[in-house]
Amino acid sequence: MKQQSINPATGELIAEYELHSKEQVQQAIAKAHTAYLAWRKVPIGERGKLLIAISEHLLAHKERYARLITQEVGKPLKEAIAEVEKCASCARYFAQNGQAHLASQPIETEHYKSYVAYEPMGIVLGIMPWNFPFWQAFRFILPSLMAGNACLLKHASNTPGCALAIAQACRDAGAPADVMQSLIIPGSRVEEVVAHPAICAVTLTGSTPAGRAVAALAGKYLKKSVMELGGSDPYLILADADMDHAVKTCVASRTLNSGQSCISAKRMIVVDSVRAEFEEKFSEQFASQPMGDPLDEKTAIGSMSRSDLRDELHEQVQRSVQAGARLIAGGKVPAGPGAFYPPTVLADVTSAMPAYHEEMFGPVAVIIPARDDEDAIRIANDTVFGLGGAVFTRNLEYGEQIARERIESGLCFVNMMVRSDPRLPFGGIKESGYGRELAAFGI
């Protein structure tokens, strides 16, 4: 069997890749373990030099890697370039801060010496998604290598080219040959990797159902795990919000990666007193975002990653409209090749509709009315997800109080879009997963 890489913007076959056999997977794990035993002895300062070299390599070849990302997942090229640049920034962050994060922590006791020490563990298996194929992978690879571990990457089935390019990029930057490898296997064969005694931990970014399945395997084999799962982030627009800023920020968030981000503005919850103004301004700006060839620098919304996912999204929109949602813009599958879906706005969304409860993973904006601030907070928390959230208000102290104490999410921002940053821990609660990536928590 083979994994195919298909350009979702054209439907054309890019390449086919042979799956790794069971024997090849076992050999890869054995080689990774041998590489780990040597790598863990390398002084942490030397490990940091590798991360700097990875950063420099990514920047030197960012256009090539970005084009590969765009071809495999349909991401606008300018966003793909920014993704590679963010990976380089992450590498520099852990190179510069990893040693301090991993420093022993003395603890005062009645004994001669007591301290907490952070030591390498072994091989970390990363199961990563297609939507940010470089960032999600490097987000676990970089701190793992800095900490002295080895890495195996099981990437999404539609991004085998990116998977192999990431492993090669590490080698080209000077990493030992087997300390970072990519496995070309289907999800049905993940258990054979998790079960191996040399695998010390598994980290997954993906859907909640996938997280449940892999977390169950991690529990079965007693492996440490981090699960970064789905999200339906609420963006609260309060009566005193700077409306132009709120609209601009929500449009930017919902447009990012053609709406295929776990932390984009999935549910815009707007208090009644400003709802009409927000709907008008947001719908006009969002619907006018140019959709088309992701290689065109003018494109804001490229192709979705797969036609089947586009069709699932359209079905969610249709069911929501049938249940009473008001379709302001979009909502029609365009003719022609490619997995394109237009910027779509659903208003008057209530709890009786799929758009209220389900994650809309594509360029569909959901506007939910709220009577007042308390009602907006209630709606924000009326979800199984808890990844990110944002509050828009001119009263910064009040906004921070809501963000910190009232919104049930792992991340919450005031007057800005939810984002990941190497300096800040990243992760969710509820059905958005557990554990944290990035910053000191992530290493």
Side-chain angles (χ1 to χ4, degrees):
M1 293 180 62
K2 297 181 179 181
Q3 277 190 359
Q4 292 185 329
S5 175
I6 297 175
N7 186 330
T10 64
E12 296 174 350
L13 177 67
I14 300 171
E16 291 185 321
Y17 300 87
E18 293 286 346
L19 292 177
H20 288 139
S21 66
K22 289 188 176 182
E23 293 74 16
Q24 289 174 316
V25 169
Q26 294 300 308
Q27 291 173 1
I29 296 173
K31 290 179 179 179
H33 182 64
T34 299
Y36 156 70
L37 294 176
W39 181 246
R40 65 168 293 151
K41 297 177 183 178
V42 174
I44 192 168
E46 293 300 311
R47 296 182 218 150
K49 291 180 180 179
L50 170 62
L51 265 63
I52 292 296
I54 291 175
S55 176
E56 293 174 346
H57 174 82
L58 290 174
L59 291 177
H61 302 277
K62 62 183 180 181
E63 286 83 6
R64 173 164 62 90
Y65 291 132
R67 185 168 289 271
L68 172 61
I69 293 170
T70 295
Q71 289 175 334
E72 283 207 314
V73 303
K75 184 193 301 284
L77 183 61
K78 58 188 177 183
E79 292 187 17
I81 292 173
E83 179 177 339
V84 178
E85 291 173 341
K86 189 172 184 178
C87 295
S89 175
C90 187
R92 291 193 301 273
Y93 171 82
F94 282 110
Q96 295 165 358
N97 297 279
Q99 189 161 1
H101 289 332
L102 295 173
S104 297
Q105 298 179 358
I107 298 177
E108 290 295 330
T109 69
E110 70 275 18
H111 304 294
Y112 168 69
K113 182 186 291 186
S114 300
Y115 59 93
V116 175
Y118 299 97
E119 297 295 326
M121 297 193 307
I123 305 171
V124 179
L125 169 65
I127 303 171
M128 295 294 127
W130 47 260
N131 56 335
F132 292 88
F134 266 56
W135 170 245
Q136 305 282 17
F138 277 109
R139 195 166 74 183
F140 99 88
I141 292 168
L142 297 167
S144 296
L145 292 178
M146 188 67 184
N149 299 307
C151 298
L152 290 176
L153 169 62
K154 187 276 175 215
H155 222 319
S157 60
N158 58 324
T159 56
C162 285
L164 296 174
I166 288 167
Q168 187 62 50
C170 291
R171 290 191 292 270
D172 290 346
D178 300 315
V179 79
M180 163 53 213
Q181 302 175 63
S182 288
L183 303 177
I184 307 300
I185 58 173
S188 60
R189 289 177 53 195
V190 163
E191 183 169 3
E192 69 187 70
V193 185
V194 177
H196 196 287
I199 303 297
C200 69
V202 56
T203 176
L204 176 141
T205 298
S207 69
T208 298
R212 285 196 178 98
V214 174
L217 290 177
K220 178 181 178 180
Y221 296 105
L222 295 178
K223 304 297 173 76
K224 292 180 180 292
S225 62
V226 170
M227 298 290 137
E228 196 270 277
L229 310 178
S232 187
D233 288 5
Y235 277 46
L236 281 64
I237 316 300
L238 305 186
D240 68 339
D242 179 334
M243 191 57 60
D244 290 339
H245 172 72
V247 167
K248 180 180 179 180
T249 304
C250 288
V251 169
S253 176
R254 201 67 196 98
T255 304
L256 182 65
N257 199 30
S258 304
Q260 300 167 112
S261 170
C262 54
I263 53 171
S264 66
K266 301 283 175 53
R267 296 177 296 142
M268 281 152 281
I269 304 167
V270 190
V271 298
D272 281 337
S273 61
V274 295
R275 182 158 56 94
E277 180 185 3
F278 179 85
E279 283 185 6
E280 180 181 2
K281 291 183 176 180
F282 175 86
S283 299
E284 181 182 356
Q285 291 188 30
F286 186 63
S288 64
Q289 297 298 305
M291 179 182 72
D293 182 358
L295 292 173
D296 187 336
E297 62 179 16
K298 297 179 181 178
T299 295
I301 296 179
S303 165
M304 290 184 62
S305 67
R306 301 200 312 260
S307 294
D308 62 315
L309 297 178
R310 187 269 311 276
D311 295 342
E312 289 177 14
L313 180 68
H314 182 56
E315 190 264 342
Q316 288 176 299
V317 170
Q318 289 182 310
R319 286 191 290 122
S320 297
V321 171
Q322 291 167 1
R326 178 162 50 95
L327 181 64
I328 297 179
K332 295 182 179 180
V333 177
F340 290 96
Y341 199 73
T344 298
V345 181
L346 296 175
D348 299 337
V349 173
T350 70
S351 60
M353 304 167 190
Y356 182 96
H357 297 286
E358 299 175 7
E359 183 177 19
M360 308 290 278
F361 213 66
V364 176
V366 175
I367 300 177
I368 303 174
R371 293 187 302 273
D372 51 29
D373 294 1
E374 288 300 314
D375 195 35
I377 294 169
R378 177 192 66 80
I379 294 169
N381 295 330
D382 186 23
T383 176
V384 298
F385 297 110
L387 187 53
V391 181
F392 291 85
T393 172
R394 285 187 169 91
N395 187 333
L396 296 182
E397 184 177 350
Y398 178 56
E400 183 182 357
Q401 186 266 330
I402 292 175
R404 177 172 176 170
E405 301 175 16
R406 306 292 301 281
I407 303 299
E408 298 170 357
S409 65
L411 321 159
C412 204
F413 293 71
V414 179
N415 293 334
M416 63 182 295
M417 61 188 286
V418 182
R419 63 186 64 190
S420 59
D421 184 315
R423 299 166 295 183
L424 301 173
F426 183 91
I429 61 173
K430 299 163 75 172
E431 290 191 12
S432 289
Y434 56 79
R436 293 295 179 265
E437 296 180 291
L438 303 176
F441 292 82
I443 194 169

